[in-house]
Amino acid sequence: MTPDKTEQRAVISLASLYALRMLGLFMVLPVMMLEGEQLEGATPQLLGLAMGVYGLTQALLQIPAGALSDRIGRKPVIIGGLLIFALGSVIAATSDSVWGVIIGRALQGGGAIASAIMALVTDLTREEHRMKAMASIGASIGLSFSVALILGPWLASFGGLHLIFAVTAVLAIGGVLVTLWVIPAPPAKQHRDASAALPVIVEQLKNRRMWPLNLGIFLLHALMVAIFVAIPAQLVEAGLTANHHSWLYLPVLLVAFVLMVPLIIIAEKRQRMKGVVITGSLIIAAALLLMGTASSLWHWIVLLLLYFWGFNLMEASLPSWLSKIAPAGAKGSAMGIYSSMQFLGAFFGGSIGGWVLSQYGAPILFVGLGALVVLWALLMSQTNAPRHLVSVRLPGHRHLDNSALASLEALPGVAEALYLPAEDAVYLKVSADEFSREDALTLIESTGEKHGSQC
């Protein structure tokens, strides 16, 4: 069964919306430290803060924004978030001081619509198509990051940071129009695999199995912002003028993506997730440690290729690992914590990266980051490899009891079952190769018939 036209339109428009917003956040990364020198009051530490401060407001507001969308609807939250994002972009575009840019970037992060978009994907797609829809959103994020690294230096060559932020504001307003006129507005659905719930968040904060992954994404995005505190100036020193940085990032990112694909296939199809994640982390660590001694442009080309290869591997693998080990009915809350850690990492990476650069220089920054990645790889080596399970949500029945849940857990491929009466839904963790959706639905329906005949 293929998605209908409404589902296809919804997924394409929501993926585009997410990608355009992330594009606006990421475009400044490769140019802030060079173009920002012209801002009044600029220092390496404050420019680093300007790069990463969006992560702080995003981390603080994304879970509350998702909860608000459950109450007042997805579209009002998305439109409000995009307008806040546009306002932040205008403030940054019209500011000549570093503090104005910091305020603008903080507002950009305050337009936290990620949770509402993911919840709307759930509202607009059927269960059997949801995995593909979420994968499309994930792919759009990765694509937006790559495009941002190429587009940012190109736009800066015409109009500096002012032009980048102005384009970002236009993209945000375009997103509002798409939300109003293109994306359908269905009633909100409760779905624990797509949105966070406060009691479950508290439980998952105590779940020790999640924290190596939460720390991993925190570190990965801290690195992402911190290295761009130093790399643009290093490329200029190596002989590559700022307006040509796009021509370096383009082939490097393309080759890194091609190199990533076979290892992702090995991780998923051959169930070697742990080995691939550790491999990716060690590739990143090697690149960072060698960046401390890089001197020529060719050194930087090779090391950036290694870095983005490892980065792409971990960026794709860590959320997949988390979705495999998140308990039944807790995936949305676990992903909410994970995403908050991701954005907090960006904030700390920019803030601390700028301070280390100003106090100790680029080589110490790179070597210090590399050492942190090695420590995290050692932590992951002591972590159990994930079972390759997927989350499934099935319609429940008001009479579903513990014996029925036990019968569901006894089905081939079912590892865990949870019934939520408030949603009248059953959440399962299953092995996709062994699980039969039809058998599970038959069991649930027969339970309902049995209880119905006794009434």
Side-chain angles (χ1 to χ4, degrees):
M1 186 184 296
T2 58
D4 61 30
K5 290 184 179 180
T6 300
E7 287 177 312
Q8 291 176 345
R9 185 184 72 179
V11 171
I12 291 171
S13 56
L14 286 170
S16 301
L17 194 63
Y18 206 125
L20 289 176
R21 181 177 178 278
M22 299 310 288
L23 183 67
L25 289 173
F26 292 150
M27 276 195 296
V28 300
L29 293 184
V31 300
M32 178 68 81
M33 298 304 292
L34 298 178
E35 298 292 333
E37 291 178 346
Q38 304 169 27
L39 296 171
E40 181 183 343
T43 65
Q45 188 171 358
L46 289 177
L47 290 174
L49 177 62
M51 289 172 66
V53 70
Y54 78 91
L56 178 62
T57 47
Q58 175 88 19
L60 293 175
L61 295 175
Q62 68 156 352
I63 291 178
L68 182 62
S69 77
D70 290 335
R71 290 179 174 272
I72 68 172
R74 317 296 188 204
K75 278 194 169 186
V77 170
I78 291 172
I79 292 170
L82 287 170
L83 291 175
I84 293 171
F85 184 81
L87 175 62
S89 301
V90 170
I91 290 172
T94 56
S95 179
D96 292 322
S97 77
V98 69
W99 285 107
V101 172
I102 290 171
I103 292 169
R105 288 284 282 174
L107 279 172
Q108 283 186 325
I113 60 174
S115 296
I117 288 178
M118 291 302 188
L120 188 52
V121 172
T122 299
D123 298 340
L124 290 169
T125 56
R126 288 168 288 173
E127 198 75 37
E128 57 268 31
H129 302 309
R130 194 157 297 132
M131 187 72 71
K132 292 180 181 178
M134 294 297 186
S136 298
I137 299 288
S140 73
I141 298 170
L143 179 62
S144 68
F145 177 71
S146 298
V147 172
L149 294 189
I150 298 164
L151 192 59
W154 182 74
L155 286 175
S157 68
F158 292 102
L161 288 174
H162 298 296
L163 178 59
I164 291 177
F165 286 122
V167 169
T168 299
V170 172
L171 292 176
I173 297 302
V176 171
L177 299 179
V178 168
T179 305
L180 285 171
W181 294 329
V182 178
I183 301 172
K189 302 175 185 176
Q190 288 183 301
H191 199 308
R192 289 283 186 91
D193 276 348
S195 56
L198 182 58
V200 187
I201 289 174
V202 174
E203 291 176 9
Q204 294 312 303
L205 284 170
K206 300 174 184 177
N207 188 342
R208 293 184 179 181
R209 296 185 67 200
M210 298 296 172
W211 277 102
L213 303 176
N214 292 334
L215 291 173
I217 198 64
F218 175 91
L219 180 58
L220 189 65
H221 280 256
L223 298 175
M224 180 190 76
V225 179
I227 68 166
F228 280 107
V229 169
I231 281 177
Q234 298 296 311
L235 294 179
V236 171
E237 288 183 17
L240 187 68
T241 57
N243 60 332
H244 289 105
H245 285 191
S246 295
W247 298 109
L248 183 150
Y249 293 128
L250 177 59
V252 162
L253 290 166
L254 287 174
V255 175
F257 176 80
V258 171
L259 292 174
M260 173 197 71
V261 172
L263 289 179
I264 293 298
I265 293 173
I266 291 171
E268 297 289 352
K269 299 297 184 183
R270 299 187 184 178
Q271 302 188 9
R272 296 289 187 269
M273 180 70 70
K274 179 177 177 179
V276 167
V277 167
I278 292 175
T279 298
S281 64
L282 293 178
I283 290 171
I284 291 176
L288 290 169
L289 292 171
L290 290 171
M291 283 179 187
T293 60
S295 56
S296 73
L297 183 58
W298 280 106
H299 289 162
W300 285 105
I301 292 173
V302 172
L303 294 177
L304 284 172
L305 174 59
L306 286 174
Y307 171 81
F308 285 117
W309 181 20
F311 178 89
N312 289 340
L313 280 174
M314 288 181 60
E315 184 77 359
S317 299
L318 290 180
S320 177
W321 185 328
L322 182 136
S323 70
K324 289 172 173 54
I325 66 172
K331 180 178 167 184
S333 297
M335 286 301 301
I337 297 168
Y338 175 91
S339 297
S340 296
M341 292 296 292
Q342 168 184 318
F343 290 114
L344 279 177
F347 168 65
F348 279 96
S351 304
I352 297 175
W355 178 79
V356 172
L357 179 69
S358 64
Q359 298 295 315
Y360 303 103
I364 295 297
L365 174 63
F366 292 130
V367 172
L369 294 172
L372 289 175
V373 179
V374 171
L375 292 175
W376 183 80
L378 291 173
L379 173 65
M380 291 305 292
S381 70
Q382 303 301 311
T383 302
N384 293 330
R387 293 181 62 189
H388 279 245
L389 303 176
V390 297
S391 299
V392 174
R393 182 183 187 271
L394 300 175
H397 196 285
R398 294 298 177 187
H399 295 287
L400 206 64
D401 55 20
N402 290 335
S403 64
L405 285 178
S407 298
L408 280 171
E409 289 185 339
L411 291 175
V414 178
E416 192 178 346
L418 173 70
Y419 174 58
L420 293 178
E423 296 183 35
D424 195 23
V426 178
Y427 289 88
L428 305 174
K429 297 293 290 190
V430 306
S431 171
D433 295 334
E434 303 174 56
F435 175 68
S436 169
R437 185 184 183 92
E438 292 73 20
D439 289 348
L441 288 171
T442 299
L443 192 154
I444 292 170
E445 290 166 4
S446 66
T447 302
E449 291 171 1
K450 178 182 70 175
H451 283 273
S453 66
Q454 294 174 349
C455 295

